[in-house]
C-alpha cells in the first residue's frame, strides 16, 4: 500500500491506491464520451486528484482512496440492506459526479447509489496511541458509510468535508470493505436542498446536477488525541487568533471536535524568508491570541503567506495563514470595503466552477488552477464563487495567487424547473428546509473561515430560496453569519430583494452596470447610501462558438438565444465588454461603486458568455485591452481615495454624491477600438 508523505503528496500515487480489482460481476471502468471534453479529460487516468486535499489541516501519514470503485444505482429502501460482500454491477471513477463522463457512469436520476471498494491499512497505523480517520472531501447530498459491514457514520450536506474515526472498524491483517450509500434528490418534486445551479432538468442558467462522491476520499493516521480543525484569523497588525479543535480517540467522531483541554505547540514561519516568526504553546478548544511582529501582510498584489505547524501530543498538522484585515469604513464620504485599512476596489468574474468532463469536480488540480490564472492574468483581484463550495485546494490557490473570494452560500432552488418566468416566486420553503439551509450555511462558514482570501459571505443569490417578503429572516441570518465570523463583510442579498441587511447594497443589472448609482432598474431599488455600493452581476455578453466548443446537447444549444446579448465575433465581444467596463469606470468616478462582478469566468452548458469557452480551449479576451481597462478601473477607484475618514468604522448616511466633471458620449470612448 502507498502511504503519502508530505513530499509525495504532490506526486501521483501508484495505480494501486483505491483501485478495485475487477470482479467478473462488475463491468470495467470506461471514460464516457460526454457532450464536451477538455484537454485534461484524457490525462485523468484512474488515479485522479492525487494531491493532499485539505491544505489547512494536512498530515504526512495518509492514503488516497480515489480510483476505480464499484457502483450500483439503488432505490430508497435499500439502505436497510447494504450489499456487504457482494459485487456491484458497474465501475465508477471516484471522485467524479455520477452524471459526469469522467465517472464512467454518466447517469441520470442517480438519486440513490451504492459505492463499494476495498482498502488496506498499514499495521503501523494501528497502535493504542493512534487513530485511523476516513475522510470525504464532499459527497452530494446525504451519505452513510459502512466499514467491514459496520456503520461508520453518516453526513448531510453536498459541499462539505467530513470524517469518521474508523480505528475500531478496520483490521490490518487483510483487506477492508468500504460501502458507501448516497442519496441526492437534487430538485425532485417536493425537495428543497442547497444545490446551487444543479437541476434534474437543466435550463439555460441551471445545469446538469452532480450526485454522489465528488471530492477526494482518503484515510489518515493521527495521534490518539488529534486535531479536528484549526480556526485561524490573522490580522494585518500581526494578531493571530487561533482555536485548535481536538478530539480524543474512542470518543465520538472527528466532526465533533470537542474534548478536554490539551496543550499544543505552534510554529509559524513566512513562506518567503528563513527563520521562525513565532513559536509558542497554547490550550486546545479555546481561542488563543498570539502576536507576530511586523508581518508581511497578505493582499492581491503581494499574497504573502505563513506556514503554520501545530503539534498536539503525537499528532502534527501543517497549515498556513495570511495576515490581513477586512473591514468597512468611510472614505471621502462613501462607505467602502477596506483591506488592511485601505479602500480596495473589488473586481472579478462570476465563477461557477463547472466542468464539461467532471461537472462539479474539475478534472485535475492543474485544470482548476488554470481558470484562476486566466482571471489573475488580466488583472482581476477577486472571484465571486457562485452558489458552489470548492475543494480546499481551490481556496489555497486563491490565497497563493492573490485573488480575493466573495463566497456565496449554495442556493436552494426558487422555482420549479423550467421556470415559467425567471422572477416567478417558487415553492414555499418549509421550516425544516429553512433549518437545513441555515445548518449548511453555518457549516460552510465553519469550514472555510480560515482561508485568508475569502473577504465576504453572500447568503442569498437574488431571490433564490429567499422569503421575499420577510425582512426578519434576512436580518436574523446576517446576525448568525456575523456571530460565526465577525472578521469579514456580509453581502446578505446579492441582487433582487434587498431588505436593508448586511454591509452591501448589491444590484444585478445586465448588460450595463448600475453600481451605487442614483438611477436604477430591476428589483433592488434605489441605492442605499448607508451601505457599500456593489454590482454583484453585470455583463453576461455572449459569443457563440462552433459546435466542437459547445456543450453538445440540444436543450442547451436551443437556449443559447436566451443570452442577454450575443456578439458576432470575438472582436465585437471585446468591444462590447470594453463599453460596459468604461460605463462602470464612469460610475466609479461619479457615484458610490466599490466593486463589481462580471458574468462570467467560463461558458457553462447553454451559456456562451465566458471569458473562456466551456472546454477552456478558447480564451476570448483581448488580454491587452482587458488589462488596460481593469487597470483604469483601479486607478479611478484610487483617485476617489483609499484612506478612511477619521477613525469612523461605520458608513455615514450623509453620502456626498460626486457627479462626473464631464460625461463623454459613449461613442467617443470607443472610436479607437479595432473591430
Ligand atoms: C455474481 O453474480 C452471480 C449471478 O448473479 C451471483 O450468484 C454471485 O453471488 C455474484 N458474486 C458476487 C461476488 O457478487
Ligand atoms: C437509477 O434508477 C432510477 C429509478 O429506477 C432511474 O430513473 C435512473 O435512470 C437510474 N439511473 C442509472 C444511472 O442507472
Ligand atoms: C459525529 O458528530 C456529529 C456532530 O456532533 C454528529 O452529528 C454525528 O451524528 C456524529 N457521527 C457519529 C457516527 O457519531
Ligand atoms: C444517521 O445515523 C443515525 C445513527 O447514528 C441515525 O439515527 C440517523 O437516522 C441517520 N441519518 C440518516 C440521514 O441516515
Ligand atoms: C483479522 O483480525 C480480526 C481482528 O482484528 C479477526 O477478527 C479476523 O478473523 C482476522 N482475519 C484474518 C483473515 O486473519
Ligand atoms: C478569536 O476568535 C474567536 C472565534 O474563533 C472569537 O470568539 C474571539 O472573539 C476572537 N478573539 C479576538 C480577540 O478577536
Ligand atoms: C511551507 O509549507 C509547505 C507545505 O508544507 C512546504 O512545501 C514549504 O516548503 C514550506 N515553506 C517553508 C518556508 O517552510
Ligand atoms: C450557436 O452555434 C451553434 C453551432 O455551433 C448553432 O447550432 C446554434 O444555432 C447557434 N445559436 C445561436 C443562438 O446563434
Ligand atoms: C430560441 O430558439 C428556440 C429553438 O430554436 C426557439 O424555439 C425559441 O423560440 C427561440 N427563442 C427566442 C426568444 O428567440
Amino acid at each position: 500500500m502507498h502511504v503519502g508523505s508530505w513530499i509525495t503528496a504532490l506526486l501521483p500515487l501508484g495505480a494501486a491506491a483505491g483501485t478495485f480489482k475487477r470482479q467478473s460481476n462488475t463491468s470495467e471502468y470506461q471514460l464516457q464520451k460526454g457532450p464536451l471534453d477538455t484537454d485534461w479529460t484524457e490525462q485523468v487516468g484512474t488515479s485522479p486528484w492525487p494531491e493532499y486535499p485539505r491544505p489547512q489541516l494536512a498530515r504526512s501519514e495518509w492514503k488516497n482512496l480515489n480510483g476505480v470503485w464499484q457502483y450500483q444505482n439503488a432505490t430508497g429502501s435499500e439502505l436497510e440492506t447494504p450489499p456487504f460482500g457482494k459485487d456491484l454491477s458497474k465501475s465508477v471513477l471516484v471522485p467524479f459526479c455520477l452524471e459526469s463522463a469522467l465517472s464512467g457512469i454518466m447517469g441520470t436520476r442517480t438519486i440513490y447509489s451504492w459505492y463499494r471498494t476495498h482498502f488496506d491499512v498499514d499495521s503501523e497505523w494501528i497502535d493504542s496511541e493512534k487513530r485511523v480517520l476516513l475522510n470525504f472531501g464532499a459527497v452530494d447530498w446525504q451519505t452513510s458509510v459502512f466499514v467491514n459491514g459496520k456503520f461508520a457514520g453518516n453526513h448531510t450536506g453536498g459541499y462539505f468535508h467530513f470524517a469518521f474515526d474508523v480505528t475500531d472498524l478496520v483490521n490490518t491483517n487483510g483487506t477492508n470493505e468500504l460501502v458507501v450509500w448516497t442519496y441526492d434528490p437534487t430538485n425532485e418534486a417536493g425537495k428543497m436542498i442547497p444545490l446551487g445551479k444543479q437541476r434534474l432538468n437543466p435550463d439555460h442558467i441551471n445545469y446538469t446536477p452532480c450526485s454522489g462522491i465528488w471530492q477526494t476520499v482518503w484515510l489518515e493516521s493521527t495521534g490518539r488525541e488529534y486535531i479536528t480543525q484549526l480556526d485561524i484569523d490573522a490580522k494585518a497588525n500581526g494578531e493571530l487568533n487561533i482555536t485548535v479543535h481536538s478530539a480524543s480517540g474512542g470518543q465520538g467522531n472527528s466532526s465533533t471536535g470537542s474534548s478536554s483541554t490539551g496543550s499544543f505547540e505552534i510554529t509559524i514561519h513566512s513562506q518567503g524568508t528563513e527563520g521562525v516568526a513565532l513559536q509558542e504553546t497554547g490550550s486546545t478548544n479555546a481561542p488563543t491570541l498570539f502576536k507576530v511582529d511586523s508581518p508581511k501582510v497578505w493582499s492581491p498584489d503581494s499574497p504573502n503567506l505563513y506556514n503554520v505547524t501545530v503539534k498536539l501530543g503525537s499528532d502534527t498538522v501543517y497549515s498556513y495563514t495570511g495576515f490581513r484585515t477586512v473591514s468597512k469604513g468611510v472614505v471621502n464620504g462613501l462607505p467602502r470595503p477596506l483591506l488592511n485599512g485601505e479602500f480596495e476596489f473589488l473586481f472579478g468574474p462570476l465563477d461557477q466552477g463547472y466542468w464539461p468532463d467532471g461537472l462539479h469536480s474539475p478534472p485535475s488540480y492543474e485544470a482548476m488552477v488554470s481558470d484562476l490564472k486566466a482571471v489573475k492574468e488580466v488583472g482581476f483581484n477577486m472571484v465571486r464563487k457562485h452558489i458552489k463550495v470548492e475543494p480546499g485546494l481551490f481556496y489555497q490557490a486563491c490565497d497563493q495567487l492573490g485573488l480575493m473570494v466573495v463566497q456565496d452560500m449554495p442556493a436552494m432552488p426558487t422555482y420549479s424547473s423550467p421556470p415559467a418566468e425567471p422572477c416567478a416566486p417558487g415553492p414555499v420553503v418549509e421550516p425544516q428546509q429553512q433549518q437545513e439551509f441555515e445548518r449548511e450555511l453555518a457549516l460552510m462558514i465553519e469550514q472555510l473561515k480560515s482561508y485568508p482570501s475569502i473577504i465576504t459571505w453572500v447568503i442569498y443569490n437574488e431571490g433564490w430560496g429567499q422569503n421575499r417578503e420577510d425582512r426578519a429572516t434576512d436580518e436574523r441570518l446576517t446576525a448568525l453569519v456575523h456571530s460565526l465570523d465577525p472578521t469579514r463583510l456580509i453581502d446578505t442579498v446579492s441582487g433582487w430583494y434587498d431588505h436593508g441587511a448586511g454591509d452591501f447594497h448589491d444590484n444585478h443589472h445586465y448588460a450595463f452596470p448600475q453600481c451605487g448609482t442614483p438611477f436604477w432598474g430591476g428589483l433592488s431599488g434605489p441605492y442605499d447610501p448607508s451601505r457599500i455600493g456593489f454590482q454583484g452581476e453585470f455583463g453576461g455578453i455572449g459569443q457563440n462558438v462552433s459546435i466542437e466548443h459547445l456543450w453538445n446537447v440540444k436543450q442547451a444549444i436551443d437556449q443559447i438565444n436566451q443570452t442577454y446579448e450575443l456578439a458576432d465575433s470575438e472582436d465585437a465581444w471585446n468591444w462590447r465588454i470594453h463599453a460596459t467596463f468604461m460605463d462602470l469606470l464612469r460610475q466609479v468616478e461619479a457615484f458610490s461603486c466599490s466593486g463589481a462582478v462580471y458574468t462570467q469566468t467560463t461558458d457553462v452548458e447553454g451559456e456562451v458568455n465566458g471569458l473562456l469557452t466551456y472546454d477552456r480551449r478558447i480564451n476570448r479576451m483581448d488580454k491587452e485591452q482587458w488589462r488596460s481597462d481593469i487597470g483604469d478601473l483601479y486607478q479611478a477607484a484610487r483617485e476617489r481615495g483609499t484612506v478612511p475618514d477619521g477613525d469612523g468604522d461605520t458608513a455615514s448616511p450623509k453620502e456626498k454624491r460626486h457627479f462626473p466633471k464631464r460625461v463623454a458620449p459613449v461613442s467617443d470612448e470607443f472610436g479607437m477600438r479595432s473591430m
Side-chain angles (χ1 to χ4, degrees):
M1 96 168 214
H2 184 108
V3 176
S5 72
W6 183 247
I7 304 298
T8 57
L10 303 171
L11 301 171
L13 289 178
T19 305
F20 188 78
K21 195 166 165 287
R22 192 170 93 83
Q23 308 271 323
S24 54
N25 287 5
T26 305
S27 65
E28 213 160 336
Y29 168 71
Q30 176 104 50
L31 169 67
Q32 298 296 301
K33 182 157 173 42
L36 184 67
D37 68 0
T38 69
D39 285 347
W40 295 278
T41 314
E42 295 279 345
Q43 295 171 23
V44 170
T46 53
S47 301
W49 283 93
E51 297 83 8
Y52 187 89
R54 198 181 47 201
Q56 289 194 322
L57 192 72
R59 288 190 169 89
S60 55
E61 299 264 292
W62 72 290
K63 184 186 180 186
N64 196 327
L65 298 187
N66 292 344
V68 178
W69 295 21
Q70 294 184 346
Y71 161 78
Q72 198 162 292
N73 196 20
T75 61
S77 59
E78 286 175 39
L79 176 54
E80 306 307 320
T81 53
F84 301 136
K86 291 189 191 133
D87 283 339
L88 306 181
S89 59
K90 293 189 172 173
S91 290
V92 63
L93 184 62
V94 169
F96 292 102
C97 311
L98 292 170
E99 292 85 346
S100 72
L102 276 166
S103 73
I105 304 297
M106 219 163 84
T108 51
R109 300 206 147 256
T110 44
I111 310 275
Y112 300 100
S113 304
W114 284 117
Y115 289 78
R116 180 171 174 260
T117 191
H118 286 81
F119 62 87
D120 295 342
V121 176
D122 193 318
S123 56
E124 284 164 26
W125 284 20
I126 305 288
D127 169 320
S128 60
E129 290 309 307
K130 290 185 175 177
R131 306 302 293 179
V132 180
L133 303 185
L134 174 59
N135 294 279
F136 292 81
V139 183
D140 199 5
W141 170 69
Q142 266 180 346
T143 315
S144 295
V145 177
F146 304 87
V147 174
N148 295 327
K150 297 205 179 75
F151 178 69
N154 56 18
H155 178 265
T156 300
Y159 299 87
F160 311 104
H161 60 77
F162 54 94
F164 303 116
D165 181 341
V166 295
T167 316
D168 301 333
L169 305 179
V170 296
N171 58 61
T172 58
N173 56 359
T175 188
N176 294 277
E177 182 191 54
L178 171 60
V179 170
V180 177
W181 161 267
T182 68
Y183 165 59
D184 184 7
T186 310
N187 63 323
E188 257 193 328
K191 302 295 175 186
M192 177 89 75
I193 62 172
L195 50 50
K197 292 225 157 184
Q198 309 176 65
R199 295 294 182 276
L200 292 172
N201 301 302
D203 56 75
H204 186 59
I205 62 162
N206 293 302
Y207 322 131
T208 304
C210 169
S211 304
I213 299 171
W214 68 277
Q215 288 185 35
T216 294
V217 183
W218 79 106
L219 281 171
E220 63 193 339
S221 170
T222 73
R224 207 164 86 87
E225 185 173 15
Y226 57 91
I227 298 165
T228 55
Q229 174 153 333
L230 297 178
D231 295 337
I232 307 181
D233 174 47
K235 296 226 181 313
N237 67 3
E239 252 175 49
L240 182 101
N241 182 352
I242 180 167
T243 304
V244 177
H245 296 271
S246 71
S248 247
Q251 300 174 5
N253 63 58
S254 75
S255 53
T256 55
S258 60
S259 106
S260 56
T261 304
S263 172
F264 67 84
E265 283 170 47
I266 182 170
T267 310
I268 297 181
H269 48 265
S270 163
Q271 289 187 353
T273 51
E274 297 286 304
V276 168
L278 182 124
Q279 191 152 28
E280 284 280 0
T281 58
S283 298
T284 55
N285 300 311
T288 311
L289 277 185
F290 297 111
K291 182 85 198 248
V292 168
D293 292 328
S294 338
K296 286 181 292 174
V297 298
W298 184 94
S299 74
D301 290 338
S302 50
N304 295 305
L305 296 173
Y306 283 74
N307 279 3
V308 176
T309 306
V310 181
K311 212 167 162 321
L312 175 69
S314 61
D315 194 33
T316 302
V317 295
Y318 305 94
S319 188
Y320 69 89
T321 192
F323 289 84
R324 89 284 177 273
T325 302
V326 179
S327 61
K328 64 181 169 183
V330 176
V331 180
N332 287 342
L334 301 178
R336 297 294 199 185
L338 308 180
L339 182 70
N340 305 327
E342 301 206 339
F343 168 36
E344 180 90 15
F345 186 76
L346 315 173
F347 196 43
L350 191 72
D351 201 69
Q352 310 267 8
Y354 273 73
W355 295 83
D357 43 9
L359 303 172
H360 272 189
S361 330
S364 67
Y365 176 80
E366 186 200 354
M368 182 180 75
V369 174
S370 75
D371 275 5
L372 296 173
K373 286 182 175 163
V375 165
K376 183 75 183 176
E377 191 187 8
V378 293
F380 285 117
N381 63 4
M382 176 266 276
V383 291
R384 176 176 169 211
K385 176 42 65 185
H386 195 40
I387 49 179
K388 183 188 175 199
V389 175
E390 293 288 352
L393 290 165
F394 173 92
Y395 300 98
Q396 183 194 38
C398 292
D399 294 335
Q400 291 171 337
L401 289 169
L403 278 169
M404 296 180 284
V405 178
V406 170
Q407 176 67 48
D408 291 10
M409 173 62 192
M412 294 192 288
T414 26
Y415 37 72
S416 42
S417 186
E421 45 149 327
C423 301
V428 172
V429 179
E430 303 290 345
Q432 312 93 291
Q433 294 166 339
Q434 179 67 19
Q435 210 176 1
E436 177 60 16
F437 176 78
E438 294 177 19
R439 191 189 67 84
E440 293 191 26
L441 171 66
L443 207 48
M444 176 181 82
I445 291 161
E446 291 299 347
Q447 293 202 352
L448 300 186
K449 71 182 181 186
S450 298
Y451 292 105
S453 53
I454 297 176
I455 54 154
T456 292
W457 305 113
V458 178
I459 301 174
Y460 287 118
N461 175 60
E462 300 172 340
W464 303 25
Q466 180 194 20
N467 185 333
R468 297 161 189 202
E469 267 73 59
D470 179 14
R471 165 193 296 261
T473 303
D474 285 9
E475 283 169 357
R476 187 170 54 77
L477 291 194
T478 306
L480 168 75
V481 171
H482 187 77
S483 72
L484 293 169
D485 179 11
T487 73
R488 291 180 173 85
L489 303 181
I490 302 171
D491 186 353
T492 305
V493 176
S494 187
W496 297 11
Y497 303 101
D498 180 77
H499 296 126
D503 300 306
F504 293 86
H505 187 205
D506 179 346
N507 186 29
H508 290 184
H509 196 264
Y510 287 93
F512 280 103
Q514 294 179 345
C515 182
T517 55
F519 46 85
W520 71 92
L523 301 167
S524 303
Y527 169 60
D528 163 11
S530 71
R531 288 177 295 155
I532 297 165
F534 191 63
Q535 185 70 39
E537 291 179 24
F538 78 107
I541 293 159
Q543 188 239 329
N544 202 3
V545 283
S546 57
I547 192 70
E548 66 268 26
H549 299 288
L550 284 178
W551 180 248
N552 196 351
V553 169
K554 186 174 183 315
Q555 160 272 324
I557 291 174
D558 282 352
Q559 291 179 332
I560 290 176
N561 62 7
Q562 292 181 21
T563 310
Y564 294 103
E565 286 183 22
L566 281 168
D568 262 355
S569 64
E570 247 172 57
D571 279 349
W573 181 84
N574 277 288
W575 190 96
R576 190 74 186 113
I577 293 170
H578 172 72
T580 66
F581 284 5
M582 289 307 106
D583 199 1
L584 182 67
L585 184 140
R586 293 277 153 70
Q587 297 178 15
V588 172
E589 286 175 343
F591 307 117
S592 189
C593 177
S594 294
V597 177
Y598 184 83
T599 303
Q600 58 189 354
T601 306
T602 72
D603 293 355
V604 188
E605 302 199 350
E607 291 183 321
V608 294
N609 53 5
L611 315 181
L612 312 171
T613 50
Y614 197 23
D615 62 2
R616 277 72 168 173
R617 289 188 176 106
I618 299 174
N619 182 330
R620 293 189 175 96
M621 292 181 285
D622 172 343
K623 291 180 198 168
E624 210 175 305
Q625 179 202 301
W626 282 61
R627 265 193 293 267
S628 156
D629 288 353
I630 293 171
D632 288 350
L633 277 161
Y634 293 131
Q635 183 56 31
R638 267 193 301 275
E639 284 169 9
R640 302 297 301 277
T642 52
V643 182
D645 305 347
D647 52 10
D649 131 279
T650 50
S652 152
K654 279 180 274 129
E655 176 222 353
K656 266 196 232 113
R657 293 207 196 281
H658 298 253
F659 284 91
K661 287 172 227 77
R662 64 184 172 98
V663 180
V666 163
S667 56
D668 279 1
E669 201 65 41
F670 309 133
M672 54 190 56
R673 290 283 139 189
S674 64
M675 279 288 290

